[in-house]
Amino acid sequence: MPALKNLLPLLIGVAVASGHAAAQAAPAATPPAGTDMAFLQSSRSLTLKDLGQIYPLKLRTVFGQASIPLNLRADQVVTGASLELRYAHSPSLRFDLSHLSVYLNDQLLRTLPLTAESASGASVRIAIDPRLLLPHNQIRFELVAHYAKPNECEDPAHSTLWADIDNGSRIDLTMSPLPPPPDLANLPAPLFDAGDERRLRLPFAFAGTANPGTLKAAAIVAAWFGTQADYRGADFPVSFNALPPGEGVVLVSGAAALPGFERFAGRQTPGVAVIDNPNAPGSQLLVLSAPDSAGLVQAAQALALGKLTLQGPSAEVSTLELPPPREAWSSSRWVRADRPFMLADGAVAPLSVTGLVPGPIGFEFSLPPDLFPLSKESVRAHLKYRAAPVSAFNSSLNALLNGQFVGGVALDHSSAGKRKVEDSSTLDLVLPVDALRAHNRLDAQYHFRRDTNLPCQDFDSTSLQGSIEPASTLEIRRYAHFAVMPALQKFADGAYPFSRYGDLADTAIVLPQAPTETDVSAALIAAGHIGRWTRDAATRIEVTTTDALDAVADRELLLVGRLDMLGLPDEWTQRMPLRLSGERVELAPLGLFTELSDRWLQDRDVSAAREHASRVIVDAAQGFAAIEGFESPLKSGRSVVLLTAGRNGDVRSAALALTDPGDVQFVRGGLTLVQGSKVSGYDLGSDYEVGHLPWWFAIQRWLALHPYLIWPIALLLVIIVGILVQTLLRRRAKLRLEHKI
Amino acid sequence: MRRLSLIVVVLLLLVPAYALITAPATLLWQTYTAVGMVIAANVLRRLRDYRWALAMMGLSVIASTRYLYWRLTETLPLGPEFNLWDQFLAAGLIGAELYAYVILILGFIQTIWPLHRKPVPLPPDPSQWPTVDVFIPTYNEPLKVVRPTVLAALALDWPRDKLNIYVLDDGRRDEFRQFCETVGVTHLIRGDNKHAKAGNINAALKKTRGEFVAIFDCDHIPVRSFLQMTMGTMIVDPKVSLVQTPHHFFSPDPFEKNLSTFRKVPNEGELFYGLIQDGDDFWDASFFCGSCAVLRRTALEEIGGIATETVTEDAHTSLRMHSRGWRSAYINIPQAAGLATESLSAHVGQRIRWARGMAQIMRVDNPFLMKGLKFGQRICYMNAMLHFFYGLPRLIFLTSPLAYLLLGADIIKAQGWMVLAYAAPHVILATITNSRLQGPFRHSFWAELYETVLATFIIVPTALAVVNPKLGKFNVTAKGGIVDRDYFDKDIAKPYYLLFSLNLVGMAVGFTRLLLNDPHPDTVALNIGWTLYNLMITGGALAVASEKRQVREAVRVRTKLEAAIRLSPDDGAWLTNTLDVSYNGVALTLPDGVAPQVGQRMQVLLTPSRSDTWIDIDVKRVGRGIVAGRIAEMTIAQESALVQALFGRADAWMQWRERQDLDRPLHALLAVARHGLRGSRNFFQWLGSSLLARARRPAGTNAA
């Protein structure tokens, strides 16, 4: 759904952007009084890697092509652009016949001759006419390469025909802001623009100190922006009593208001508005205002649910009826396990490919993080495919799950009778459950070969085609919702356990009694992280402080605060893997049994992990941040995720680790330490379990976890059986000998 | 209500059992489990109370099921990396393992509680005793064989007016008619030989009218107390249709003869009659074995007489009576004895007949589907029948390691040590549990030997019978060592020469692979161990097969009987005892004061307390306190006295079993290994001589 919702503002953006681009050469027509747009000019530098190209682009064959998308913000106009292209190519080409062309939106930018000098690597800067740039652009590279003279025989797929484009090649952009008039209809733009691939940074401002009600509203808004930002991540700096320097969110509750926002104070009905930032021309602020914090929550809920009247700069929220509570894992984010998932719904690329070396056909899908396969073959994919019958021996279709090879099929059309493709074939894959994560990508990769026995025969690589049918499915059988905790990797990747209900009906954020700006910021970042995963309105989230825990006892708790500021009872401290003991930070001690069982039964070396963690803590001298996971002292089966820091640490860096695709993969186990740029996760034992397994699986699993009991239980069982059966048999034997049966 | 609570208890016990069977384990912990289970079983084995034996059964079932579960879920070579050939071989092995598992479980149920039924005393007043017809069917056996049986039948302790003895002579021989007239029994013949023994008995049933029918094969000599022991049960329980007693053999079967294990190691029959039939009796499923049994005429007539559709008419008849709600009883006291089959070929022929017959019954009246049977009866009959399908599985076990060693086929998808950790408790527990249960009646590993010898020969007959019960030749009878095809023992040994050679090659290849640093030394080692075991068993089979034909002599029974001797009818008699008696001669302790001369005729009175018929003997040897002589021409009365003394004593065979050792699995393994070694020696002699012969032959042809 978000995709559709975004469409409207984007279209508007396109029109506005192109309109202004033409006028850009002339001085700005109507600059706001007393401001000069020039100082608002910003520049951005994007590498191809930033644009999602993880590897260098590989151009192959006589006519190799590759293209990458370039999206731009709708509220900015590009005033200058250039491409710094770094490339290398085969030194064995006929240079008079070979060249590399660069296109932007199908317009030729430059054709680069390939020379002996450029073969080992060259860099060239190509100026781009800013008028060619649209909100959504495509940069295409085409290689025309030959190693033979025009009339000579040539293998169009010869291995010498290659050129690589470095993914460090850079696009430099100079931009000027182009703010549309404040209008709710544009939301989430301009605060968030899908054309911007960077992490969203959106400051929140509160009037006075934030109370839990206001924070709840903020959390709902943060989660909503988290959903919008999705994989980009979202950072929400927080200031009490100060306006954000650029775009931002302002919450006004009751009479307390920031300077300049008095007109929002004392409103009788909750409302949402978009206004120009008085402190920063060209930036807009989202203002939520209400007479009390309950109203503020209502405004936030309306925003998140998309129930605002989407017109004009402001809207009032008079009444709001919340949708019924969500079922577990009912959000569109998750693959429904009770029916086959149509892979086409998660397609990230066209389902049909062409050429000798086509790109993968990718599908993305998210599985509930607590999806617990009961067998190794629980998750299966059925890829229905068709490949043109011209491909030669050894052509194949391979499937990769998260980059790991999981299966393939030879496309052998060489045998007689297989020269026709009239119907799809199916590649059935058992996806290895260990390779599955919350968010997964399944790639179908065609590898075509041409017949090397006929090097000079006319060969048209575009006749090599393959497709995956939309009817391809993913199927989950024999599963449970179950997880062994703490498992911060499930929090990092899937926001488990908070993401279970899309409306966060069993989630509570807990802050210290007097939360600081840093604490609130960390909490909002975490809320955004959760929103990213739920893709739903966080309408039923609760926010409270550590002195009012009882009200949220039956919820999953996201606890935020520095270790020395938490002020939690001892029973909480007892459970923390990392805790404050007096002035010292220490790891929870480990029982002998736990250590033995971890080493011998679960094959995990807790001592080594503890040793490493201790060293990091000592080195950090209280300058670390940490994420901890442990079972809630308030209710068994409930979890606590604690975002914390040492006395000299910053809680925000723990939260920000969740939004960084590089760092987030190291968040795991029961304790993750963040020190500077280093993130390290540790499995420290003392497990608890969440969810239910079918009884038959549960007992089997229990015994597998206690294998030393197999034979003693067997012995006990057969002794009981022996005694029981003996009585029964003796009775029957007696009847038999008495001629009664 | 009690049934319901029983079901609840069973379900409650099944839950942990399920977990025990399915819980996965790493190599370390499975090894630990295996060791724990084997130790536990060894402790239980030493405890005397039977409940511990039942516990052992449970433990063995858990170990085996756990193995099989693992085998079926983790080790099957499914997937694209395994070719069809691998999978075909793997299917064979898993099929054989499933068969062995089913047989193990059925066997446990079958023998879970041997009933040890005691004979029921007869009513004190003999006038209330019912009338009994004794049938002695014969076809082509010499009169010499049948005579003692008839004479012993005449001496049965039963009112003479209520006892009628019939010789059912399908050979319609004058010699027999004359003998019958002489001794005063009825000689019955019929017009044709339809349905062989079954038809013979059915024809006789129409001509006789005794309330009960006792049937003896013509070479099974009953002891005098046979009817006393069996008829009480019949009288007290009118629902009983059959009282069966063991078949006892006083001569060694070919195995015992060729391996010299007579009366040391229990033979095949002793497991069946000592334990299985007794176990069957608990489930009301002991069945008719064709001889040494009493049947109720009304029951027989209800099912239309002896069944004629199969070649094992006896078991089939029982099955039908059971399905009509009749009961059966088994009295585990030898009350008749006979000669064992003398040659291996005859033995094999007899087993082929049984195997084919059982397979036929499975097709004609499948005990699992047949109406009117109880659960235990279905289990027992099914096991009795399935047992005879061991041919193919046995052959698969004997060749499976070769698939890996010689053909390089991956038929088990698992690490060698892992297979060992799972399979070892399965095999070891099954072995020691069976040893605990069958101790006096069977020794471990010997069944392997018995089955192996027969395996290759029963595959085809059983398979044919399953395809169509009418397929295959219908052997008339296996009595008297005559089968429709005469197997030379060299023929019998042939398959084992082949199997032995193959395993030998397999082992050599295995060791070579080890020396060449095979990437899977554990799997190779495991398979080498397996071939070694196979060599031992096939070697043993070769030892059994390497026999010389022996002419049947009169059986000597080494018994100490009371006796009296006198040098002439007028002389006084001396009390002494026998050392050795046979149908031909007798050896006695020479009492002081008697001095018979060699060549002199002397008279012996056997068991003087019961008999007053003196037998003439010609003294052949005197000395060292022993006198031995040849029995002279006997009158019927003398012969009868000899038969009664030799075979007819009520306690004649009672002590027989007590002489044997209890089973100790490791000792048994050693014993079998010794025979395996002996067989191997025979093999290499054969190999040497045939190579030599081959080397000479070309020279000979050139010269010609």
Side-chain angles (χ1 to χ4, degrees), chain A residues 165-225:
Chain A
I165 294 181
D166 188 358
N167 60 348
S169 297
R170 226 172 52 230
I171 298 166
D172 295 307
L173 300 168
T174 317
M175 290 164 296
S176 292
L178 184 68
D183 193 341
L184 288 170
N186 293 344
L187 282 176
L191 287 78
F192 162 75
D193 192 312
D196 197 338
E197 296 293 324
R198 295 170 297 178
R199 179 158 75 189
L200 171 67
R201 187 179 154 88
L202 188 65
F204 273 58
F206 297 83
T209 53
N211 64 31
T214 314
L215 287 171
K216 177 174 173 179
I220 294 169
V221 176
W224 184 64
F225 276 107

Side-chain angles (χ1 to χ4, degrees), chain B residues 51-69:
Chain B
R51 69 176 66 130
W52 308 122
L54 292 169
M56 281 178 78
M57 272 190 226
L59 206 58
S60 172
V61 170
I62 288 176
S64 295
T65 315
R66 185 171 160 75
Y67 165 72
L68 211 63
Y69 179 85

Side-chain angles (χ1 to χ4, degrees), chain A residues 376 600-601 695-697 699-701 703-705 707-715 717-734 736-737 739-741, chain B residues 2 6 9 13 15-20 22-24 29 32-33 36-37 40 44 49 51-52 54-55 58-59 62 66 74 112-113 115 117 120 233 236-237 281-284 327-328:
Chain A
K376 287 177 189 159
W600 288 100
L601 301 175
W695 64 268
W696 54 270
F697 192 88
I699 51 167
Q700 184 185 328
R701 182 172 171 274
L703 208 55
L705 290 177
Y708 51 92
L709 287 179
I710 293 179
W711 76 259
I713 293 180
L715 185 61
L717 182 74
V718 298
I719 286 174
I720 296 171
V721 169
I723 292 168
L724 215 68
V725 167
Q726 190 187 33
T727 359
L728 288 175
L729 296 181
R730 184 175 280 150
R731 193 178 298 153
R732 187 190 156 91
K734 190 158 170 273
R736 187 93 180 104
L737 290 175
H739 306 285
K740 288 184 181 138
I741 54 170
Chain B
R2 229 182 61 198
L6 190 68
V9 168
L13 293 171
V15 171
Y18 167 83
L20 291 168
T22 58
W29 289 106
Y32 164 89
T33 303
M37 281 184 161
L44 288 175
D49 195 294
R51 69 176 66 130
W52 308 122
L54 292 169
L59 206 58
I62 288 176
R66 185 171 160 75
E74 304 281 333
I112 200 163
W113 194 276
L115 196 59
R117 187 188 285 276
V120 176
T233 308
V236 78
D237 185 354
D281 200 10
F282 175 81
W283 297 110
D284 192 10
R327 295 176 192 158
S328 67

Side-chain angles (χ1 to χ4, degrees), chain B residues 357-370:
Chain B
M358 287 302 192
Q360 286 173 324
I361 298 178
M362 227 170 86
R363 276 296 310 273
V364 177
D365 281 322
N366 191 301
F368 247 38
L369 309 172
M370 201 176 185

Side-chain angles (χ1 to χ4, degrees), chain B residues 16-233:
Chain B
Y18 167 83
L20 291 168
I21 286 158
T22 58
T26 56
L27 177 60
L28 170 73
W29 289 106
Q30 178 55 29
T31 309
Y32 164 89
T33 303
V35 171
M37 281 184 161
V38 169
I39 291 175
N42 265 302
V43 171
L44 288 175
R45 184 157 75 106
R46 272 150 235 275
L47 303 175
R48 275 198 44 210
D49 195 294
Y50 193 67
R51 69 176 66 130
W52 308 122
L54 292 169
M56 281 178 78
M57 272 190 226
L59 206 58
S60 172
V61 170
I62 288 176
S64 295
T65 315
R66 185 171 160 75
Y67 165 72
L68 211 63
Y69 179 85
W70 173 77
R71 184 85 174 77
L72 287 172
T73 54
E74 304 281 333
T75 68
L76 296 188
L78 302 173
E81 66 270 35
F82 297 96
N83 60 35
L84 265 178
W85 174 239
D86 285 359
Q87 288 171 353
F88 171 75
L89 293 176
L93 182 59
I94 198 76
E97 289 186 74
L98 279 171
Y99 169 84
Y101 175 77
V102 169
I103 290 294
L104 179 76
I105 304 292
L106 291 184
F108 279 162
I109 299 177
Q110 189 176 32
T111 56
I112 200 163
W113 194 276
L115 196 59
H116 304 310
R117 187 188 285 276
K118 301 267 184 312
V120 176
L122 287 160
D125 178 9
S127 68
Q128 290 172 11
W129 298 3
T131 53
V132 178
D133 293 334
V134 175
F135 287 178
I136 302 168
T138 168
Y139 171 55
N140 55 7
E141 299 82 357
L143 182 58
K144 186 180 81 175
V145 172
V146 185
R147 280 172 80 107
T149 310
V150 176
L151 292 175
L154 277 166
L156 283 171
D157 286 332
W158 202 255
R160 197 63 193 84
D161 56 329
K162 299 197 172 192
L163 182 68
N164 292 300
I165 292 156
Y166 301 92
V167 174
L168 319 181
D169 181 18
D170 257 8
R172 295 181 280 280
R173 290 160 289 186
D174 263 354
E175 188 190 12
F176 274 61
R177 186 176 49 75
Q178 281 162 14
F179 171 71
C180 290
E181 278 165 12
T182 320
V183 298
V185 303
T186 315
H187 183 241
L188 277 184
I189 55 169
R190 54 174 177 152
D192 56 14
N193 287 354
K194 226 173 147 191
H195 298 312
K197 182 177 164 189
N200 197 356
I201 293 171
N202 285 341
L205 279 173
K206 294 202 181 81
K207 295 178 194 159
T208 54
R209 56 190 57 216
E211 291 166 67
F212 293 92
V213 180
I215 296 175
F216 294 101
D217 278 352
C218 63
D219 56 354
H220 281 156
I221 309 165
V223 304
R224 55 190 291 178
S225 57
F226 175 83
L227 289 174
Q228 305 264 340
M229 291 287 188
T230 52
M231 286 305 295
T233 308

Side-chain angles (χ1 to χ4, degrees), chain A residues 458-528:
Chain A
D458 185 35
F459 174 70
D460 179 9
S461 70
T462 53
S463 68
L464 292 172
Q465 293 186 312
S467 67
I468 301 291
E469 306 243 320
S472 300
T473 54
L474 183 82
E475 196 188 349
I476 305 170
R477 289 185 295 200
R478 282 161 48 88
Y479 66 95
H481 285 291
F482 178 82
V484 177
M485 304 288 276
L488 290 176
Q489 64 272 22
K490 289 184 189 292
F491 174 61
D493 184 32
Y496 188 76
F498 308 107
S499 50
R500 190 181 294 121
Y501 298 98
D503 53 6
L504 303 189
D506 68 347
T507 296
I509 294 178
V510 182
L511 290 158
Q513 281 185 48
T516 62
E517 291 173 342
T518 318
D519 295 338
V520 174
S521 173
L524 295 185
I525 294 168

